[in-house]
Amino acid sequence: AQSVTQLDSHVSVSEGTPVLLRCNYSSSYSPSLFWYVQHPNKGLQLLLKYTSAATLVKGINGFEAEFKKSETSFHLTKPSAHMSDAAEYFCVVSEIPGGYNKLIFGAGTRLAVHP
Amino acid sequence: EAGVTQFPSHSVIEKGQTVTLRCDPISGHDNLYWYRRVMGKEIKFLLHFVKESKQDESGMPNNRFLAERTGGTYSTLKVQPAELEDSGVYFCASSPGTGASLWETQYFGPGTRLLVL
């Protein structure tokens, strides 16, 4: 079965500094991986997704993630944090038991951005 | 284009009562999913509809939960009777396509926050 581990439950950065949110996955075959973000009182929004076309995936709002098969990782990065990036981030893997898609979520990482 | 909408946004009920959550998917999306996040835990899959048919309900916790999608449009999730451990955030998502692709994006609603006292 697929699984996802987000290595940090909380990350705190200063505005303008880089962001790194770590994610490791477990999969018996080539996975499909996503990062979703949830701002306070908002729904889950897709940041980016890995579909095997390219290992470096660019998403919205300057975020990107790199798929590293040898390390089974899919870490999310951003060069310079903005106050509006404060939110909870979810690393997600997709699996298809019985032929239909369902998402497996990591526990989430809360990102705090300080002035 | 309207996104996935959920009603109500919040619900506070007493143990033993019944609550019905509603989800309206994006127009034209055949796939509709329910997920739940209880306090301090991961977001977990509950079930998946393709049009009006339940394709996978392996995540439904017990028979107190009943999901329907009459006519293949909106869906309801009823909890009867509600227990304390049912408290959490219930998310609905929808996707176009067949629902059988690993790379299909699921679009999420804002969630319904359920508190059972």
Side-chain angles (χ1 to χ4, degrees):
Chain A
Q2 314 271 48
S3 66
V4 172
T5 302
Q6 291 185 244
L7 300 171
D8 307 290
S9 59
H10 291 81
V11 170
S12 181
V13 301
S14 297
E15 190 174 22
T17 64
V19 175
L20 170 63
L21 305 183
R22 299 182 294 165
C23 172
N24 286 112
Y25 69 91
S26 171
S27 173
S28 55
Y29 50 86
S30 183
S32 183
L33 293 158
F34 306 78
W35 276 99
Y36 279 84
V37 61
Q38 185 181 22
H39 289 91
N41 299 316
K42 301 285 187 181
L44 292 157
Q45 180 184 22
L46 180 68
L47 272 180
L48 50 82
K49 65 180 179 182
Y50 167 71
T51 61
S52 77
T55 57
L56 183 62
V57 183
K58 294 188 183 299
I60 62 172
N61 301 333
F63 284 93
E64 61 182 38
E66 186 172 9
F67 174 73
K68 292 187 177 180
K69 187 175 181 178
S70 61
E71 300 176 8
T72 61
S73 69
F74 190 57
H75 301 336
L76 182 70
T77 61
K78 183 173 181 178
S80 176
H82 191 271
M83 296 296 289
S84 61
D85 294 328
E88 189 165 19
Y89 293 78
F90 297 92
C91 184
V92 181
V93 66
S94 177
E95 71 172 21
I96 303 188
Y100 286 91
N101 192 4
K102 73 177 182 183
L103 302 182
I104 310 298
F105 283 78
T109 298
R110 289 192 180 275
L111 175 65
V113 182
H114 303 288
Chain B
E1 178 183 276
V4 177
T5 56
Q6 294 186 245
F7 303 96
S9 59
H10 295 78
S11 180
V12 181
I13 62 172
E14 293 190 352
K15 176 182 172 181
Q17 289 186 322
T18 297
V19 63
T20 300
L21 313 181
R22 174 172 169 144
C23 169
D24 285 78
I26 294 172
S27 178
H29 283 194
D30 286 340
N31 299 284
L32 188 149
Y33 307 82
W34 284 97
Y35 293 83
R36 177 177 77 165
R37 189 182 197 189
V38 297
M39 188 74 72
K41 302 283 189 180
E42 297 92 342
I43 298 172
K44 297 277 195 184
F45 168 85
L46 294 178
L47 86 159
H48 170 205
F49 284 98
V50 178
K51 296 184 180 178
E52 67 277 6
S53 300
K54 292 178 187 174
Q55 289 300 326
D56 181 357
E57 51 184 333
S58 61
M60 295 288 265
N62 51 60
N63 59 11
R64 294 186 295 103
F65 289 75
L66 175 64
E68 295 180 321
R69 192 182 182 195
T70 306
T73 54
Y74 70 92
S75 174
T76 58
L77 180 64
K78 180 190 289 187
V79 185
Q80 179 181 31
E83 298 289 345
L84 299 180
E85 62 265 26
D86 300 333
S87 297
V89 182
Y90 290 76
F91 292 101
C92 176
S94 71
S95 71
T98 65
S101 166
L102 273 177
W103 302 285
E104 208 164 275
T105 297
Q106 294 184 20
Y107 299 87
F108 282 79
T112 293
R113 284 149 183 79
L114 175 64
L115 179 60
V116 183
L117 301 175

